[in-house]
Coordinates of all heavy atoms in Angstrom, one line a residue:
Y71 N -1.1 -17.3 41.0 CA 0.3 -17.5 41.2 C 0.9 -18.8 40.8 O 0.2 -19.8 40.9 CB 0.6 -17.2 42.7 CG 0.1 -15.9 43.2 CD1 -1.2 -15.9 43.8 CD2 0.7 -14.7 43.0 CE1 -1.7 -14.7 44.2 CE2 0.2 -13.5 43.4 CZ -1.1 -13.5 44.0 OH -1.6 -12.3 44.4
K72 N 2.1 -18.8 40.3 CA 2.8 -20.0 39.9 C 4.2 -20.0 40.2 O 4.8 -18.9 40.5 CB 2.6 -20.2 38.4 CG 3.3 -19.2 37.5 CD 3.1 -19.4 36.0 CE 3.8 -18.4 35.2 NZ 3.6 -18.6 33.7
T73 N 4.9 -21.1 40.2 CA 6.3 -21.3 40.5 C 6.5 -21.1 42.0 O 5.8 -20.4 42.7 CB 7.3 -20.4 39.7 OG1 7.3 -19.1 40.3 CG2 6.9 -20.3 38.3
P74 N 7.6 -21.7 42.6 CA 7.9 -21.5 44.0 C 8.1 -20.1 44.4 O 7.9 -19.7 45.6 CB 9.2 -22.3 44.2 CG 9.1 -23.4 43.1 CD 8.5 -22.7 41.9
E75 N 8.5 -19.2 43.5 CA 8.7 -17.8 43.8 C 7.4 -17.0 43.8 O 7.3 -15.8 44.1 CB 9.6 -17.2 42.7 CG 11.1 -17.6 42.8 CD 11.3 -19.0 42.3 OE1 10.5 -19.5 41.4 OE2 12.2 -19.7 42.8
K76 N 6.3 -17.7 43.5 CA 4.9 -17.1 43.5 C 4.8 -16.0 42.5 O 4.5 -14.8 42.8 CB 4.5 -16.7 44.9 CG 3.0 -16.7 45.0 CD 2.5 -16.5 46.5 CE 1.0 -16.7 46.6 NZ 0.5 -16.6 48.0
V77 N 5.2 -16.3 41.2 CA 5.1 -15.3 40.2 C 3.6 -15.0 39.8 O 2.8 -16.0 39.7 CB 5.8 -15.8 38.9 CG1 5.6 -14.8 37.7 CG2 7.3 -15.9 39.2
A78 N 3.2 -13.8 39.7 CA 1.8 -13.4 39.4 C 1.4 -13.7 38.0 O 2.1 -13.5 37.1 CB 1.6 -11.9 39.8
V79 N 0.1 -14.1 37.9 CA -0.5 -14.2 36.5 C -1.9 -13.5 36.6 O -2.6 -13.6 37.6 CB -0.8 -15.7 36.2 CG1 -1.4 -15.9 34.8 CG2 0.5 -16.5 36.3
H80 N -2.2 -12.7 35.6 CA -3.3 -11.8 35.7 C -4.4 -12.3 34.6 O -4.1 -12.8 33.6 CB -2.9 -10.4 35.4 CG -1.9 -9.9 36.4 ND1 -2.1 -9.6 37.7 CD2 -0.6 -9.7 36.2 CE1 -1.0 -9.2 38.3 NE2 -0.1 -9.2 37.4
G81 N -5.7 -12.0 35.0 CA -6.7 -12.3 34.0 C -8.0 -11.7 34.5 O -8.0 -10.8 35.4
S82 N -9.1 -12.0 33.8 CA -10.4 -11.4 34.1 C -11.5 -12.3 33.5 O -11.3 -13.2 32.8 CB -10.5 -10.0 33.5 OG -10.5 -10.1 32.1
F83 N -12.8 -11.9 33.9 CA -14.0 -12.5 33.3 C -14.6 -11.3 32.5 O -14.8 -10.2 33.1 CB -15.0 -13.0 34.3 CG -14.5 -14.4 34.9 CD1 -14.1 -14.4 36.2 CD2 -14.6 -15.5 34.2 CE1 -13.7 -15.6 36.8 CE2 -14.2 -16.7 34.7 CZ -13.8 -16.8 36.0
D84 N -15.1 -11.6 31.3 CA -15.7 -10.5 30.5 C -17.3 -10.5 30.6 O -17.9 -9.5 30.2 CB -15.3 -10.6 29.1 CG -13.8 -10.3 28.9 OD1 -13.3 -9.6 29.8 OD2 -13.2 -10.7 27.9
N85 N -17.9 -11.6 31.0 CA -19.3 -11.6 31.0 C -19.9 -12.0 32.3 O -19.9 -13.1 32.8 CB -19.8 -12.7 30.0 CG -21.3 -12.7 29.7 OD1 -22.0 -11.8 30.3 ND2 -21.8 -13.6 28.9
I86 N -20.4 -10.9 33.0 CA -20.9 -11.0 34.3 C -22.2 -10.2 34.4 O -22.3 -9.1 34.1 CB -20.0 -10.6 35.4 CG1 -18.6 -11.3 35.3 CG2 -20.6 -10.7 36.8 CD1 -17.5 -10.7 36.1
E87 N -23.3 -10.9 34.8 CA -24.6 -10.2 35.0 C -24.8 -9.9 36.5 O -24.6 -10.7 37.3 CB -25.7 -11.1 34.5 CG -27.1 -10.4 34.6 CD -28.2 -11.3 34.1 OE1 -27.9 -12.6 33.9 OE2 -29.3 -10.8 33.9
V88 N -25.1 -8.6 36.7 CA -25.3 -8.1 38.1 C -26.7 -7.6 38.2 O -27.2 -6.8 37.4 CB -24.3 -7.0 38.5 CG1 -24.6 -6.5 39.9 CG2 -22.9 -7.5 38.3
K89 N -27.5 -8.1 39.2 CA -28.9 -7.7 39.3 C -29.1 -7.1 40.7 O -28.3 -7.3 41.6 CB -29.8 -8.9 39.2 CG -29.8 -9.6 37.8 CD -30.7 -10.8 37.8 CE -30.8 -11.4 36.4 NZ -31.7 -12.6 36.4
D90 N -30.2 -6.4 40.8 CA -30.7 -5.8 42.1 C -29.8 -4.8 42.7 O -29.6 -4.7 43.9 CB -31.0 -6.9 43.1 CG -32.0 -7.9 42.6 OD1 -33.0 -7.5 41.9 OD2 -31.8 -9.2 42.8
T91 N -29.1 -4.0 41.9 CA -28.3 -2.9 42.4 C -29.3 -1.7 42.7 O -30.4 -1.7 42.3 CB -27.3 -2.4 41.4 OG1 -27.9 -1.9 40.2 CG2 -26.3 -3.5 41.0
K92 N -28.8 -0.8 43.4 CA -29.7 0.3 43.9 C -29.1 1.7 43.4 O -27.9 1.8 43.2 CB -29.8 0.4 45.4 CG -30.4 -0.9 46.0 CD -30.4 -0.8 47.5 CE -30.9 -2.1 48.2 NZ -29.9 -3.2 48.1
E93 N -30.0 2.7 43.4 CA -29.6 4.1 43.2 C -29.7 4.7 44.6 O -30.7 4.6 45.3 CB -30.5 4.8 42.2 CG -30.4 4.2 40.8 CD -31.4 4.9 39.9 OE1 -32.0 5.9 40.3 OE2 -31.4 4.5 38.7
S94 N -28.6 5.3 45.0 CA -28.6 5.9 46.4 C -27.5 7.0 46.5 O -26.6 7.0 45.8 CB -28.2 4.7 47.4 OG -28.2 5.2 48.7
N95 N -27.8 7.9 47.5 CA -26.8 8.9 47.8 C -25.8 8.4 48.9 O -24.9 9.1 49.3 CB -27.4 10.2 48.3 CG -28.3 10.0 49.5 OD1 -28.6 8.8 49.9 ND2 -28.6 11.1 50.2
I96 N -26.0 7.1 49.3 CA -25.1 6.5 50.3 C -24.4 5.4 49.5 O -25.0 4.4 49.1 CB -25.9 5.8 51.4 CG1 -26.7 6.9 52.2 CG2 -24.9 5.1 52.4 CD1 -27.6 6.4 53.3
P97 N -23.1 5.5 49.2 CA -22.4 4.6 48.3 C -22.4 3.2 48.7 O -22.5 2.2 47.9 CB -21.0 5.2 48.2 CG -20.9 6.1 49.4 CD -22.2 6.6 49.6
E98 N -22.4 2.9 50.1 CA -22.5 1.5 50.6 C -23.7 0.8 50.2 O -23.7 -0.5 50.2 CB -22.3 1.5 52.1 CG -20.9 1.8 52.6 CD -20.6 3.3 52.7 OE1 -21.4 4.1 52.3 OE2 -19.5 3.6 53.2
E99 N -24.8 1.5 49.9 CA -26.1 0.8 49.6 C -26.2 0.4 48.2 O -27.1 -0.4 47.8 CB -27.2 1.8 49.9 CG -27.3 2.1 51.4 CD -28.5 3.0 51.7 OE1 -29.1 3.5 50.7 OE2 -28.8 3.2 52.9
I100 N -25.4 0.8 47.2 CA -25.6 0.6 45.8 C -25.5 -0.9 45.5 O -26.3 -1.4 44.7 CB -24.6 1.4 45.0 CG1 -24.9 2.9 45.2 CG2 -24.6 1.1 43.5 CD1 -23.8 3.9 44.6
L101 N -24.5 -1.6 46.0 CA -24.3 -3.0 45.7 C -24.8 -3.9 46.8 O -24.8 -5.2 46.6 CB -22.9 -3.3 45.4 CG -22.3 -2.8 44.1 CD1 -20.8 -3.0 44.0 CD2 -23.0 -3.5 42.9

């Protein structure tokens, strides 16, 4: 956010490595 009116600015990261995820029938366990 910027300016006193708190105008939104959007962005992202394109390169993220994620390790040690799981396969599961319980969705809470995957990450």
Side-chain angles (χ1 to χ4, degrees):
Y71 307 94
K72 64 181 183 180
T73 79
E75 291 73 28
K76 206 168 188 179
V77 174
V79 183
H80 304 286
S82 64
F83 286 106
D84 290 339
N85 188 2
I86 304 167
E87 183 179 13
V88 181
K89 297 180 179 180
D90 301 322
T91 62
K92 303 179 182 71
E93 298 177 1
S94 178
N95 61 344
I96 302 173
E98 283 85 355
E99 294 182 351
I100 295 172
L101 287 173

